[in-house]
Amino acid sequence: MQNDRLIIAGREFTSRLFVGTGKYKDFAETKKAIEASGADVVTVAVRRVNITDRSKENLLDYLDPKKYTILPNTAGCYNVEDALRYSRLARAAGVSDLIKLEVLGDERTLFPDTAGLIEAAKILVKEGFIVLPYTNDDPIVAQKLVDIGCPAVMPLAAPIGSGLGIRNPYNLKIIMEMIKVPIIVDAGVGTASDAALAMELGADAVLINTAIAGAQDPIAMAEAMKYAVYAGRLAYKAGRIPRKLYATASSPIEGML
Amino acid sequence: MAETIQIQVNGEQRGCRADATVGDLLRELAIKTERVAVELNLEIMDRQDFDHRSLKQGDRVEILSFIGGGAPVDGQGKGRSFVHAE
């Protein structure tokens, strides 16, 4: 597993666990949880600076952009124009051309508007962005995103923050077989076994926020996720046994009395 | 004494010196320029232009930076009611 590096658009990552930085109690907890997770890639949102209360600290004072790959997202954008605007602002705020593109279609489910996503991705790729699109577990849409030039795709496992786990393992499996770029399962993971399952299915990475930040002990859960992703990856590489309906004895019959 | 103009910063009205630049505004607000993006009347500015672009009456300035994210904040609605944090 030593040389088992994840490469996206020429960037190499050691950890296959990406983490979000939302919903934590404070920046100190965010920092500790991210350290415990072992993640290289952390997602952030772009929002207005609080100009009335300047005592508020900056997230990037806690997360060194030299140590972590900062992946800004377009969370909260419900149309193409907003997603483009936030992507361009994220780039102007100055870490890189990387963008986790979200174009949401509905407030209740936060499901992606895949038509809008494809449209926005096309424009951003042309503008030189490295677009990592948050998409549905739809293999055809995933392929279209790759054809546009996305160097990875991020299908959901379940609605964002739902903790429902992998709702459609077969669709994800089809995406993993069909799509030749890294697949990052994003959204819906509830606990460590969900992350392990995503990796066992053949995901190249998993992105987790709420399952860690919302746990009773976020730092312990961050560590659990680190091992789950690692174990799942190892199991995938090792190749599991086929499922059979009946037993197969492990101990030899030969030599019995 | 310098004349005062009215501008809008992150949705709030405020007065500023008529000859002030975007860079002056950021310094007045004690905002470090390295990790912010500035949008002036819906156009994203190059950081090098902060000290060269003078503010004009009615200018709308948006100053943004990175906050914790990855999942939408509960009750944030359609992502339009920006959270106040940096």
Side-chain angles (χ1 to χ4, degrees), chain B residues 2 12 23-24 45 49 57 70-72 79-80 82-83 86:
Chain B
E12 286 167 34
D24 292 332
M45 292 187 69
D49 296 336
Q57 174 69 31
R80 307 208 182 272
F82 290 179
V83 289
E86 187 190 342

Side-chain angles (χ1 to χ4, degrees), chain A residues 21 45 48 57 85-86 92, chain B residues 29 39 47 62 67 69 82 86:
Chain A
T21 53
R48 277 175 167 167
E57 295 163 299
R85 186 181 182 193
Y86 277 84
Chain B
L29 294 169
E39 202 185 62
R47 195 161 288 150
E62 293 287 351
I67 65 149
F82 290 179
E86 187 190 342

Side-chain angles (χ1 to χ4, degrees), chain A residues 19-23 27 43-52 54 56-61 64-65 70 72-73 75-79 82 84-86 88-95 100 102 104 107 110 160-161 186 207 209-210, chain B residues 8-14 26 28-47 50 60-86:
Chain A
V19 292
T21 53
K23 295 185 175 175
F27 288 148
T43 67
V44 298
V46 181
R47 294 292 182 267
R48 277 175 167 167
V49 169
N50 187 340
I51 55 166
T52 43
R54 298 296 310 134
K56 289 268 163 59
E57 295 163 299
N58 189 315
L59 175 65
L60 294 193
D61 293 336
D64 183 359
I70 306 293
N73 64 30
C77 292
Y78 283 82
N79 58 59
D82 281 352
L84 296 177
R85 186 181 182 193
Y86 277 84
R88 292 164 184 153
L89 284 164
R91 176 151 77 178
V95 271
K100 183 194 158 193
E102 297 184 24
L104 303 174
E107 256 184 278
L110 298 175
I160 294 171
D186 180 9
L207 194 156
N209 188 357
T210 309
Chain B
Q8 204 183 78
V9 183
N10 285 7
E12 286 167 34
Q13 289 292 331
R14 75 185 275 130
L26 292 171
E28 192 189 316
L29 294 169
I31 293 168
K32 284 184 244 160
T33 57
E34 306 96 69
R35 286 163 194 160
V36 294
V38 176
E39 202 185 62
L40 180 63
N41 303 327
L42 300 178
E43 274 197 34
I44 295 170
M45 292 187 69
D46 275 335
R47 195 161 288 150
F50 288 172
R60 279 175 301 144
V61 186
E62 293 287 351
I63 308 165
L64 298 98
S65 75
F66 297 124
I67 65 149
V73 179
D74 290 331
Q76 198 179 320
K78 285 210 164 202
R80 307 208 182 272
S81 52
F82 290 179
V83 289
H84 276 271
E86 187 190 342

Side-chain angles (χ1 to χ4, degrees), chain A residues 132-181:
Chain A
L132 310 183
Y134 163 66
T135 184
N136 223 318
D137 56 3
D138 179 335
I140 307 304
V141 172
Q143 185 59 56
K144 285 187 179 179
L145 291 162
V146 174
D147 294 342
I148 288 167
C150 297
V153 286
M154 309 183 72
L156 56 83
I160 294 171
S162 70
L164 287 173
I166 316 288
R167 299 323 303 148
N168 198 339
Y170 301 105
N171 264 36
L172 286 179
K173 188 78 193 162
I174 291 170
I175 291 176
M176 286 154 199
E177 287 194 12
M178 270 178 59
I179 305 298
K180 303 298 171 211
V181 300

